[in-house]
Structure formats: structure tokens, C-alpha cells
Amino acid sequence: MVTETAHLDDDAKARRGFMLALGAYLLWGTLPFYMKAVAHLPLIEVIAHRIVWSVPIAAAVLVWAGRTADFKAAIRSPRSIAMAALTATLISVNWGIYVWAIAVDRTVETALGYYINPLVVVVVGAVLLGERLDRLQIAAVVLAAVAVTVLTIEGGKLPWVSLALAFSFAAYGFFRKTLPIGPSQGFLLEVLLLSVPALCYIAYLIATGQDHFVSSTANDTALLVGCGPVTAVPLLLFAFGARLLRLSTIGIMQYIAPTMVFLIAVLVFGEPFGGTQAMAFALIWTALAMYSWSMFRGREIRPAAPATR
């Protein structure tokens, strides 16, 4: 009876985790629409407001969840502050490239970047952590390299937007693991650190009349304030959902957002997608299928570790 009750409790947690994570991926998948809406605003101003308005949301959720103790310990640790400053810088670079790319009609490249990201993480693990790759993982990485080569030859230059997004997010994930606190606490620490220069920049814009928060329309003001929720809400949903899910479930779900972004770019935004791009994406999708199969095969299926809080 106890075993059956525990099984039902696990199923209920898994369903709740799935819905939370699905909500996060759906919000991330539709984010290009919001980024298009703010495309007429200066990039740095958008990023600054994205940071500042994330702070109260992240703080409120942390208090509600009762997870302030390790956050208080982290802000008293110089090492934690230094590492959070580094991860905050990396995620800011990632955000900036993403917002800019959508504003200049390069959304397809952002989708490719987040497709490539899991494969970049595998390479980072092998190079920096000495993790061994199996044959399928090696083949997947080779296919991804071929896809990048195809795009480079066709375009005459590296697909730097895709690579910058993939590598900056992989680096963020790598260094983020060094913070001895969970994702929601770490996110608050990062945006708090970033909010200092962001607030200074916003104050400067307002003082000189160059801002779009006070000096512009009510619509621009609302869009800038909304940058906080569209940033913080999906990340926090994922943070709480991932800790209730199996690793295999997370592995499958991580492709929802870039797939939505890709479809929006081609079908809604009408961005060009020719034969070369189709070939490159086919190679990447094949590589991801191989990577996913390798990841799931023989892996113990268990709930995600508490560190994903």
C-alpha cells in the first residue's frame, strides 16, 4: 500500500513537473514575437529593462518558495559573487545576441544555435572535464561540424550568430554549475548584480531624455516593463519543473523551444530558408537524434537531482 501510494505521488509530481517545464518551453518558443515587438527600441535599453524588471519577480518567487537561506550565504561569499558576476556576463551576452538577431531578421540562426547547444555541451564536457564520448556522440558532433561547414561555405563566413548563442549558453551552463545554489537563487543573484549597471544606464537615459521608458509612449513603457516577466517567468517555471522530471524527459523537451522558434521564423516572419539551410538543419536534426539516443540508452531513469532547484 505504501509503495502504491509513493508511486502515485511520484506520478503526480512528474505530471506537475511536466506542465511547469512545458509552460517554460512554450513561453521560450513564443519569445520571438515579444522580441519583434521591442525591435524598434535600442538593444541596450531592452537588455537593461529585461534585467531590472526580473529582480522583483525572482525575489518574490524565492521568498514564496522559502529558499532564501542559501541565497543569503551566497551573497556573503566573495567566490560566489565573483562566479555569479561571470555567469551574469555570459548570459547577458547571450541575451544581447538573441534580441539583436531577432530584430534584424536572423531568427532562423537563433533556432540553429539552440539546436547546436546540446552538442556543444558534450564537446565542452569532453575537453574541459575529460568526459568520454561514445561513438554515437562523436558521430553527432561530426555531423554538427559538417552542418556548420556547409553553412560557412554557402554564406562565405561562419554562422557566428548560431555559434555565439550555442557557445555562450554552454559556457554559462558550465560555470553556473560552480555556484553552490540552485537555479532560482542563482538567477536572482545574477540579475541583482546586473541591475546595478542596468539601473545606472536607465537613469542616465532618463536624465538626458534619451529613454523610451518615461519619455516615450505608454506602449513602449509597457513593453519595457514586460521584458522582466518574459525573462524571469519561463526560467523559474523550468527551475521548479525540472527538479520533478526524469532526465530523459528533460532531454526530449529541450527541443520544443528551438523547433517553435524555427517554425515562427520561416512560417510567420518569412525569413529565407533555402536548400543549403535545409541540408544543414537536416544534419543537425540527425545529429540530435543520435545524441538523444546515446543519452537515453543505458541511462538510469530517475528524477532530476535537487541541484536543479
Side-chain angles (χ1 to χ4, degrees):
M1 183 66 179
V2 174
T3 303
E4 183 179 349
T5 301
H7 179 68
L8 291 174
D9 288 342
D10 288 343
D11 286 346
K13 289 179 180 178
R15 284 193 296 271
R16 186 163 67 250
F18 178 82
M19 295 308 297
L20 289 169
L22 180 62
Y25 282 118
L26 292 177
L27 288 172
W28 278 326
T30 55
L31 187 57
F33 288 122
Y34 200 92
M35 294 299 101
K36 276 291 187 184
V38 299
H40 65 288
L41 301 173
L43 172 64
I44 303 301
E45 188 173 8
V46 171
I47 298 299
H49 281 276
R50 193 174 186 183
I51 292 164
V52 168
W53 296 108
S54 292
V55 173
I57 299 172
V61 170
L62 204 62
V63 171
W64 171 79
R67 300 194 178 277
T68 58
D70 51 355
F71 176 78
K72 292 177 182 177
I75 61 176
R76 292 193 292 267
S77 167
R79 181 179 179 278
S80 293
I81 294 295
M83 290 309 303
L86 174 60
T87 57
T89 301
L90 288 168
I91 200 62
S92 295
V93 170
N94 187 271
W95 286 351
I97 295 171
Y98 182 79
V99 175
W100 172 83
I102 292 177
V104 297
D105 299 326
R106 299 176 73 166
T107 310
V108 169
E109 294 179 58
T110 69
L112 179 63
Y114 288 114
Y115 275 131
I116 292 175
N117 176 252
L119 303 175
V120 172
V121 171
V122 170
V123 174
V124 169
V127 174
L128 299 182
L129 301 178
E131 296 178 355
R132 297 183 62 182
L133 303 183
D134 62 28
R135 292 179 180 178
L136 275 178
Q137 290 173 330
I138 293 172
V141 171
V142 170
L143 280 181
V146 171
V148 171
T149 302
V150 167
L151 290 173
T152 301
I153 294 173
E154 191 272 342
K157 58 183 178 181
L158 279 172
W160 72 267
V161 170
S162 303
L163 294 175
L165 286 173
F167 277 92
S168 62
F169 200 70
Y172 170 75
F174 175 78
F175 288 109
R176 182 62 183 77
K177 290 181 180 293
T178 65
L179 278 176
I181 51 179
S184 55
Q185 298 96 316
F187 177 64
L188 175 58
L189 182 56
E190 288 165 351
V191 291
L192 272 177
L193 291 173
L194 291 170
S195 67
V196 176
L199 280 171
C200 290
Y201 181 70
I202 292 171
Y204 165 76
L205 291 179
I206 293 174
T208 57
Q210 301 177 59
D211 70 292
H212 293 80
F213 182 65
V214 174
S215 306
S216 189
T217 64
N219 183 62
D220 284 347
T221 301
L223 285 171
L224 288 171
V225 173
C227 287
V230 301
T231 299
V233 171
L235 190 147
L236 293 168
L237 283 175
F238 179 78
F240 285 103
R243 59 191 289 260
L244 301 173
L245 289 175
R246 299 176 186 273
L247 295 174
S248 56
T249 305
I250 297 171
I252 294 171
M253 295 182 75
Q254 68 180 319
Y255 304 125
I256 293 174
T259 299
M260 292 178 64
V261 171
F262 167 72
L263 292 174
I264 289 169
V266 175
L267 301 179
V268 180
F269 295 164
E271 293 189 13
F273 187 73
T276 303
Q277 288 84 359
M279 181 187 301
F281 269 79
L283 288 169
I284 292 296
W285 288 329
T286 302
L288 289 173
M290 296 167 66
Y291 159 78
S292 299
W293 175 252
S294 173
M295 182 176 64
F296 303 147
R297 186 183 58 185
R299 169 172 283 182
E300 180 183 356
I301 304 302
R302 60 185 183 276
T308 58
R309 291 192 303 239

